[in-house]
Amino acid sequence: MEHKIALLGFGIVGQGLAEIFVEKGKSLAVDIGLNAKVVAISDLMKGSLYHPEGLNLAEALRVVKETGKLDSYPDESGLIRGMNSFQTIQETNADTIVELTFTDVKTGQPAIDHCKAAFENGKNVVMSNKGPVALAYRELSELAQKKGVRWGYEGTVMSGTPALRMPLVSLAGNTINEIKGILNGTTNYILTKMEEGMSYKESLAEAQALGYAEADPTNDVEGYDAQYKITILANVVMNGSLKREDVACEGISHLTPEDIQRAKEEGKRWKLIAACRRDGDRVIAKVSPESLPLTDPLAAVGGAVNAITYDCDLAGPITLIGAGAGRKETGFSILIDLINISRGQL
Amino acid sequence: MEHKIALLGFGIVGQGLAEIFVEKGKSLAVDIGLNAKVVAISDLMKGSLYHPEGLNLAEALRVVKETGKLDSYPDESGLIRGMNSFQTIQETNADTIVELTFTDVKTGQPAIDHCKAAFENGKNVVMSNKGPVALAYRELSELAQKKGVRWGYEGTVMSGTPALRMPLVSLAGNTINEIKGILNGTTNYILTKMEEGMSYKESLAEAQALGYAEADPTNDVEGYDAQYKITILANVVMNGSLKREDVACEGISHLTPEDIQRAKEEGKRWKLIAACRRDGDRVIAKVSPESLPLTDPLAAVGGAVNAITYDCDLAGPITLIGAGAGRKETGFSILIDLINISRGQL
């Protein structure tokens, strides 16, 4: 069955997803059962397109690459231009809204309102923005359930590496007592470089030059990015009721070359660890640097890579290592949610 | 809905699974949707029990622990004793046959015939024995599909660590171009000890003392166990058509302390690697020792642990690390297949 999709936002991830559809659309339909058709693209800056029978994605990608806008996408019968995000949610024939707008992680807006509008209109939502899941998980998942639609957010933690779906599907039946992970690639890159002998400032500068860290690196280096992600893991995988501000948070900016050296001498390695665990009926979480023994699988994870360990009562400790960011990787995180919605799978 | 189960074989794994049901049966039903009821146990040596309304598992475990047999399980109205494996498959009301007999890995029997009988009778099969999946994957999976039943075999590779389900469910949509893994815990334990300074013979003796290696260690140290497992991965995850004998196989018994030392000096570490990759339209596979750079996530995996890396075109390289054996872990591998059959999930 055709799965009709509207993209809200056509930046890096949206274009990455469109490229995947152009390149692999046929095999996704035949081999995987995702017969995707993008019927609408609505971007605040680039303009909007809607055609109930589907857009030509190769053409949309071409005009955006050439002009930065969707305005020169060719006219055709049935094409409607200029619909804003809420019109796109409410007035198109899309089954699923892929929410990729520039959303404020602190308020979760406009993505939270987009989710509500979509669910109220009987449409699924897929997104990779952390804000709405960290801030409004219960409310939005209950609304989606009530309306009989799906909400996918695999990409909010570790991008396309299945940090949320793997435990829920493949480790179901275990009681997961603890989760700990390296959930921020920027800080892991900085710590890896410091162990190689660079100072914190030099490592940060290199991470910025490579595009891993932003000009203002606060969100990464003070642990806030990891704090959002562990909040999501605690609530989604361990059925917790955490708010972000419940999660104690300490970053890596105070670590000195001497700290790094001392750990090395003790056969250990500093990592920024986000962790949550059961404490009676509650789930508690924190983010802080830890010096791990080299025998811990997380200690071996170097560079901008992410990793996570689930402590399972039956299956034992299980670790997943993979990318935590990237255009194709985040595009895939959206794709896997769409695939599983189409397949009727978790 | 009630999921009625027959256990063929009541050894370590069967008893481990029964213990999980005794301990967690209620939460599995309420939280996960697996309302399991074991209606039959048939063991060649211990005897057989069948009650269409379900057996008392705590009692069955108790009498087997005390007497080694099921004979002193208390009589009750409706209880039938002495059914053999084929009667248990054909004449009970079980929905799913959990196949845990002592099966010859080289012939796959009697498990292959048990599968055929179950599928022909409209019953699902779940197992952790490698033989039938490595030897008869196409034939049996086609028969199961034709009869509208399910065949679960998560535990055949890496026990309860989801080496088969994770890529099929959570990485769907990727083209996986290569899989490489440490799929045999015994050899990884021996290599870890050799790096710590022991000889091959000393390490093997320690592995035998700990129960990791058998008295005749050929199957592990010459790579045959890993050869079965990579055949399964190649066929199930990469849709290959390999027979076990197509997989070139070299073990670790010829590695010397000098080999280990030289790798150490080069910043590398020997691992017994089972790998498969696409080669045009074909999938090819081999098992051989490789000296990996320490930056490879597989190089850091020490002791009797297993690990596997999937090279994905979209999600990038993704590594999974976990147990490859164990009573509870293998019990879980059976459980997760039962859960996903009950949930209607892949």
Side-chain angles (χ1 to χ4, degrees):
Chain A
M1 211 181 65
E2 213 169 70
H3 190 145
K4 294 192 192 71
I5 292 164
L7 306 181
L8 300 189
F10 201 52
I12 290 176
V13 179
Q15 292 177 46
L17 181 65
E19 284 165 9
I20 293 173
F21 285 141
V22 170
E23 285 164 25
K24 303 188 73 164
K26 202 171 164 187
S27 78
L28 289 170
V30 173
D31 302 335
I32 307 290
L34 173 65
N35 189 3
K37 179 169 276 185
V38 174
V39 294
I41 302 172
S42 177
D43 187 288
L44 204 60
M45 307 302 291
K46 298 185 181 75
S48 298
L49 303 169
Y50 168 49
H51 194 301
E53 287 165 27
L55 298 170
N56 180 334
L57 283 182
E59 197 61 21
L61 284 164
R62 188 186 64 77
V63 302
V64 156
K65 263 161 207 162
E66 284 176 8
T67 68
K69 301 241 175 204
L70 290 165
D71 299 348
S72 50
Y73 181 89
D75 273 321
E76 59 177 320
S77 165
L79 184 77
I80 299 169
R81 298 180 192 267
M83 291 171 88
N84 68 25
S85 59
F86 286 96
Q87 289 173 312
T88 302
I89 292 167
Q90 288 157 347
E91 297 169 25
T92 68
N93 64 350
D95 304 302
T96 297
I97 308 299
V98 175
E99 216 294 344
L100 303 168
T101 62
F102 188 78
T103 280
D104 181 352
V105 76
K106 287 187 188 148
T107 64
Q109 294 295 7
I112 289 177
D113 286 345
H114 288 155
C115 282
K116 289 182 185 168
F119 298 158
E120 292 290 355
N121 279 270
K123 298 184 181 191
N124 313 297
V125 177
V126 173
M127 59 171 55
S128 58
N129 190 296
K130 297 180 292 291
V133 192
L135 302 171
Y137 173 63
R138 293 270 161 233
E139 180 191 6
L140 291 177
S141 48
E142 281 166 20
L143 182 60
Q145 197 168 14
K146 190 175 138 199
K147 296 293 177 179
V149 293
R150 296 276 300 265
W151 183 28
Y153 38 74
E154 179 63 68
T156 58
V157 180
M158 288 175 70
S159 186
T161 307
L164 298 173
R165 177 167 279 109
M166 192 277 280
L168 292 174
V169 174
S170 303
L171 302 178
N174 283 285
T175 302
I176 296 178
N177 290 308
E178 186 178 14
I179 299 175
K180 57 191 274 190
I182 297 168
L183 303 181
N184 180 271
T186 308
T187 45
N188 205 52
Y189 183 84
I190 292 172
L191 290 172
T192 302
K193 288 291 151 186
M194 285 178 79
E195 208 186 328
E196 291 170 15
M198 281 190 187
S199 71
Y200 172 76
K201 276 194 175 169
E202 288 166 338
S203 306
L204 172 58
E206 189 168 299
Q208 286 169 322
L210 287 166
Y212 295 152
E214 292 176 56
D216 176 359
T218 310
N219 190 40
D220 290 323
V221 300
E222 298 306 341
Y224 303 135
D225 174 67
Q227 190 189 32
Y228 278 104
K229 291 170 179 168
I230 198 70
T231 305
I232 294 172
L233 282 159
N235 292 344
V236 172
V237 178
M238 291 177 70
N239 202 26
S241 305
L242 287 184
K243 292 195 169 64
R244 184 178 75 93
E245 54 271 25
D246 299 332
V247 181
C249 185
E250 180 191 334
I252 63 158
S253 59
H254 60 79
L255 286 180
T256 65
E258 292 69 39
D259 293 325
I260 305 286
Q261 193 53 39
R262 198 171 324 117
K264 216 169 172 176
E265 285 159 14
E266 293 169 357
K268 292 184 170 181
R269 198 171 272 158
W270 284 99
K271 295 291 175 191
L272 182 63
I273 297 296
C276 57
R277 63 180 175 84
R278 293 192 191 283
D279 178 45
D281 285 347
R282 294 189 317 155
V283 176
I284 56 175
K286 71 169 180 169
V287 175
S288 64
E290 283 186 36
S291 76
L292 302 178
L294 295 185
T295 48
D296 188 316
L298 298 183
V301 176
V305 175
N306 282 201
I308 187 164
T309 300
Y310 307 86
D311 188 28
C312 306
D313 67 337
L314 302 175
I318 292 196
T319 300
L320 191 59
I321 305 173
R327 172 199 185 97
K328 248 192 337 188
E329 292 82 353
T330 309
F332 170 70
S333 78
I334 301 294
L335 179 68
I336 190 66
D337 283 336
L338 294 171
I339 286 173
N340 283 293
I341 291 173
S342 268
R343 285 175 156 187
Q345 299 284 308
L346 294 177
Chain B
M1 212 180 62
E2 215 169 67
H3 190 146
K4 295 192 192 70
I5 292 164
L7 305 182
L8 300 190
F10 201 52
I12 291 177
V13 179
Q15 293 178 45
L17 181 65
E19 283 165 9
I20 294 173
F21 285 142
V22 169
E23 285 164 27
K24 304 188 72 162
K26 201 170 165 187
S27 79
L28 289 171
V30 173
D31 302 337
I32 307 290
L34 173 65
N35 189 4
K37 179 169 277 185
V38 174
V39 293
I41 302 174
S42 176
D43 186 289
L44 202 60
M45 308 301 293
K46 300 186 179 76
S48 297
L49 304 170
Y50 168 50
H51 195 301
E53 286 166 27
L55 299 170
N56 181 334
L57 283 183
E59 198 60 19
L61 284 164
R62 189 186 63 76
V63 301
V64 156
K65 263 161 208 161
E66 285 175 9
T67 68
K69 301 243 175 206
L70 290 166
D71 299 348
S72 51
Y73 181 90
D75 272 322
E76 60 177 319
S77 163
L79 184 76
I80 300 170
R81 298 182 192 266
M83 291 171 86
N84 68 24
S85 58
F86 285 98
Q87 290 172 311
T88 303
I89 292 168
Q90 286 157 348
E91 297 168 25
T92 68
N93 64 351
D95 304 304
T96 297
I97 308 298
V98 175
E99 215 294 342
L100 302 167
T101 63
F102 187 77
T103 279
D104 181 351
V105 75
K106 285 187 189 149
T107 64
Q109 293 296 6
I112 289 177
D113 286 345
H114 287 157
C115 283
K116 287 181 185 168
F119 297 158
E120 291 290 355
N121 278 271
K123 297 183 182 191
N124 313 296
V125 176
V126 173
M127 60 170 55
S128 58
N129 189 296
K130 296 180 294 290
V133 193
L135 301 172
Y137 173 63
R138 293 271 160 233
E139 181 191 4
L140 290 177
S141 49
E142 280 166 18
L143 182 60
Q145 198 170 13
K146 190 176 140 199
K147 297 292 177 179
V149 293
R150 296 275 299 264
W151 184 28
Y153 39 75
E154 180 64 67
T156 58
V157 180
M158 287 174 71
S159 186
T161 307
L164 298 174
R165 177 166 278 109
M166 192 276 281
L168 292 174
V169 174
S170 304
L171 301 179
N174 282 285
T175 301
I176 296 179
N177 289 308
E178 186 177 14
I179 299 175
K180 56 191 275 190
I182 297 168
L183 303 181
N184 179 270
T186 308
T187 45
N188 204 53
Y189 183 83
I190 292 172
L191 291 173
T192 303
K193 289 292 150 183
M194 285 179 78
E195 210 187 328
E196 289 169 19
M198 281 190 188
S199 71
Y200 171 75
K201 278 194 175 171
E202 289 166 337
S203 308
L204 173 58
E206 190 169 298
Q208 286 168 324
L210 287 165
Y212 293 153
E214 293 176 56
D216 176 359
T218 310
N219 191 37
D220 290 325
V221 300
E222 299 306 341
Y224 304 136
D225 174 68
Q227 189 189 32
Y228 278 103
K229 291 169 178 169
I230 197 70
T231 304
I232 295 172
L233 282 160
N235 291 344
V236 173
V237 178
M238 289 176 73
N239 202 27
S241 307
L242 287 184
K243 294 195 170 64
R244 184 178 76 92
E245 56 270 26
D246 298 333
V247 181
C249 184
E250 180 191 335
I252 63 159
S253 59
H254 61 79
L255 285 180
T256 63
E258 292 69 40
D259 292 328
I260 305 285
Q261 194 52 40
R262 199 172 323 118
K264 216 169 172 177
E265 284 159 15
E266 291 170 356
K268 293 184 170 180
R269 196 171 274 160
W270 284 99
K271 294 291 175 191
L272 182 62
I273 297 297
C276 57
R277 63 179 174 81
R278 292 192 192 283
D279 178 45
D281 284 347
R282 294 189 315 156
V283 176
I284 55 177
K286 69 169 180 171
V287 175
S288 63
E290 284 186 32
S291 76
L292 303 178
L294 296 184
T295 48
D296 189 316
L298 299 183
V301 176
V305 176
N306 283 200
I308 188 165
T309 301
Y310 307 86
D311 187 28
C312 305
D313 67 335
L314 302 175
I318 292 196
T319 299
L320 191 60
I321 304 173
R327 173 196 183 97
K328 249 191 339 186
E329 293 81 352
T330 308
F332 170 70
S333 78
I334 302 293
L335 179 68
I336 190 66
D337 283 336
L338 294 171
I339 287 173
N340 282 294
I341 291 172
S342 268
R343 284 176 157 186
Q345 298 285 308
L346 293 177

